[in-house]
């Protein structure tokens, strides 16, 4: 079964600094997708960024970028120029392309605090 | 506005009293799913549906029921709630099973069973 592990329950960063959230996953599939979701205090699940496993280029969305290491099964999220509005719970998630495509598998979450 | 609507947002109930959490999407999505979120466990899938009248169990289906009589609606039913079902629940949808982007989530239902 696929699993996703976020080993940092909590992280904090100074406003305007850069922070990296870690995520590792386990799968025997070659076709899959990876996601980072943000959950602010409003509880809404907001898609931050996604990565297709077949793409070697790391995905980037404005201040958010990923470091996708397929061989190491690692998918970290880098947030540059951290802002107060980035404070939230962040979830890493995996979805298989074929077998197991019926669900997202989530990590445990990392709570990010931004210090002004 | 394209969205997934869940109701209620908060619910406190007593053990054994049947309840239904509603979920509706206005995007004509085929795929819908329910998740529960618990501290330290992330989100886990309860049930999913690939289309009308097609539903299947996720990883934690015990104590829950679902139905998909219409494409837009996917209610979650707890026929005899117990305190271990106290959790944050999310409904999610996607155009189809293998859409290569993330799901659209509802705003969550905080359920407390006493």
């Amino acid at each position: 079964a696929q699993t996703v592990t976020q080993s940092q329950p909590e992280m904090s960063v100074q406003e305007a600094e850069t922070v990296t959230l870690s995520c590792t996953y386990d799968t025997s599939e070659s076709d899959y997708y990876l996601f980072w979701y943000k959950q602010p205090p409003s509880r809404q699940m907001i898609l931050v960024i996604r990565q297709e496993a077949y793409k070697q280029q790391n995905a980037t969305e404005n201040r958010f970028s990923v470091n996708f290491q397929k061989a190491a099964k690692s998918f970290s999220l880098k947030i540059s120029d951290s802002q107060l509005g980035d404070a939230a719970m962040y979830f890493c998630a995996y979805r298989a392309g074929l077998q197991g495509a019926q669900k997202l598998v989530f990590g445990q979450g990392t709570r990010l605090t931004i210090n002004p | 506005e394209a969205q997934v609507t869940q109701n209620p947002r908060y619910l406190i109930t007593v053990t054994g009293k049947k309840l239904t959490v509603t979920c509706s999407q206005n995007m004509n999505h085929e795929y819908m799913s329910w998740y529960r979120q618990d501290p330290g466990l992330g989100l886990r899938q309860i049930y999913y549906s690939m289309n009308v009248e097609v539903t299947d169990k996720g990883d934690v289906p015990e104590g829950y029921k679902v139905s998909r009589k219409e494409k837009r609606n996917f209610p979650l039913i707890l026929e005899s709630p117990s305190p271990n079902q106290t959790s944050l629940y999310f409904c999610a949808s996607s155009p189809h099973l293998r859409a290569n982007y993330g799901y659209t989530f509802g705003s969550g239902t905080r359920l407390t069973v006493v």
Side-chain angles (χ1 to χ4, degrees):
Chain A
Q2 298 94 349
T3 58
V4 176
T5 301
Q6 294 177 248
S7 58
Q8 307 153 315
E10 296 182 349
M11 293 278 287
S12 63
V13 65
Q14 291 295 127
E15 192 176 4
E17 297 292 308
T18 295
V19 63
T20 299
L21 309 183
S22 301
C23 173
T24 58
Y25 59 95
D26 187 25
T27 184
S28 58
E29 303 289 328
S30 59
D31 178 24
Y32 54 87
Y33 305 90
L34 297 164
F35 308 88
W36 278 99
Y37 280 90
K38 171 185 178 182
Q39 186 181 52
S42 67
R43 299 189 326 216
Q44 187 67 41
M45 293 290 286
I46 302 166
L47 179 63
V48 174
I49 200 166
R50 69 183 180 98
Q51 175 83 42
E52 294 91 337
Y54 63 85
K55 290 188 177 179
Q56 292 185 334
Q57 186 172 4
N58 289 326
T60 299
E61 290 286 345
N62 300 313
R63 297 182 295 106
F64 297 86
S65 61
V66 298
N67 183 6
F68 174 46
Q69 301 288 326
K70 190 172 184 179
K73 296 180 182 174
S74 171
F75 183 60
S76 59
L77 175 69
K78 185 172 82 171
I79 306 174
S80 304
D81 184 25
S82 298
Q83 300 176 0
L84 295 178
D86 295 333
M89 181 73 86
Y90 286 82
F91 290 100
C92 178
Y94 162 100
R95 186 175 73 75
L98 290 171
Q99 189 70 26
Q102 72 275 11
K103 66 181 178 184
L104 283 174
V105 179
F106 286 86
Q108 302 88 335
T110 296
R111 184 170 301 282
L112 177 64
T113 301
I114 311 295
N115 300 313
Chain B
E1 180 188 353
Q3 59 185 357
V4 176
T5 303
Q6 274 181 248
N7 281 297
R9 189 163 170 81
Y10 297 93
L11 180 59
I12 301 174
T13 190
V14 295
T15 299
K17 185 176 182 181
K18 181 179 179 179
L19 66 92
T20 299
V21 184
T22 63
C23 174
S24 181
Q25 51 92 4
N26 61 0
M27 297 165 282
N28 201 36
H29 284 177
E30 290 183 354
Y31 174 92
M32 298 184 75
S33 184
W34 278 101
Y35 287 80
R36 61 177 287 173
Q37 179 181 345
D38 300 290
L41 297 177
L43 284 80
R44 295 175 294 165
Q45 190 184 54
I46 303 170
Y47 268 95
Y48 68 97
S49 170
M50 290 192 287
N51 215 324
V52 176
E53 302 291 0
V54 181
T55 63
D56 207 347
K57 297 176 181 178
D59 293 325
V60 288
E62 294 77 20
Y64 305 95
K65 285 178 58 177
V66 294
S67 68
R68 187 94 180 270
K69 294 184 172 62
E70 305 166 284
K71 198 171 189 178
R72 64 183 293 125
N73 296 324
F74 190 46
L76 180 69
I77 303 158
L78 286 72
E79 296 214 324
S80 184
S82 62
N84 65 12
Q85 293 178 297
T86 292
S87 187
L88 177 58
Y89 291 86
F90 285 98
C91 181
S93 74
S94 176
H96 53 84
L97 179 64
R98 295 198 171 90
N100 61 351
Y101 43 86
Y103 302 160
T104 302
F105 284 86
S107 54
T109 296
R110 173 75 67 186
L111 172 65
T112 302
V113 184
V114 298

